[in-house]
Amino acid sequence: MSVDVYLNFNGNCREAAEFYAEVFGTEKPNIMTFGQTPPNPEYPLPEEAKDLVMHTRLNIDGSNVMFSDVFPGMPFVPGNNISLSIVNNDIEKIKSLFHKLKEGGTVSMELQETFWSKCYGSLKDKFGIEWLFNYENGEMNM
């Protein structure tokens, strides 16, 4: 299991990820935009979101640091744009941690299957810390 840092940006994620890749001497980031996601007719993608970064990550000295732009209309507060991400290949462990951390907190997205993971969810715990939970078995590598 790993606990990874997740940084959010307000439209300049690509620039930030490429900058950090250069600074830390990592490979150029593999970037997925919101426009590359499977379309959902129930939630049409706004034009201004298509080129924004949905997800990328860098391995900096053995630690995964993940990045994304906030979706248009979502709040962005510089300094509060960091969350912790639980990445694990044990779905039961993910479920257990999720249910423990949601006590007294607020669930942003219940655990569910997404196009990138069989089990993903997010919440803010009772202390105001944002947590992301992601099942990763090595089949899909974003």
Side-chain angles (χ1 to χ4, degrees), residues 1-8 54-56 65-68 81-88 94 97-98 101 106-111 116-117 119-125 129-135:
M1 179 173 87
S2 64
V3 176
D4 298 332
V5 176
Y6 209 111
L7 303 173
N8 290 25
M54 181 186 155
H55 179 79
T56 190
V65 180
M66 298 180 285
F67 305 80
S68 71
N81 54 326
I82 297 173
S83 54
L84 299 176
S85 180
I86 301 291
V87 180
N88 199 294
I94 289 171
L97 292 170
F98 184 90
L101 282 169
T106 305
V107 174
S108 306
M109 183 176 179
E110 286 290 346
L111 290 174
W116 70 85
S117 176
C119 185
Y120 175 84
S122 60
L123 60 84
K124 183 182 286 190
D125 72 18
I129 303 299
E130 296 281 345
W131 292 91
L132 310 173
F133 299 82
N134 194 51
Y135 170 74

Side-chain angles (χ1 to χ4, degrees), residues 18 23 30 61 71:
E18 290 172 353
V23 167
N30 182 13
D61 287 336
F71 197 78

Side-chain angles (χ1 to χ4, degrees), residues 89-105:
N89 63 1
D90 182 342
I91 288 179
E92 293 309 313
K93 186 167 194 167
I94 289 171
K95 289 178 181 177
S96 174
L97 292 170
F98 184 90
H99 292 294
K100 289 176 183 176
L101 282 169
K102 80 176 187 180
E103 290 298 318

Side-chain angles (χ1 to χ4, degrees), residues 11 34-35 44-53 69-74:
F34 286 106
L45 190 64
E47 193 62 38
E48 66 269 21
K50 291 183 178 178
D51 290 330
L52 294 177
V53 175
D69 281 312
V70 294
F71 197 78
M74 298 297 291

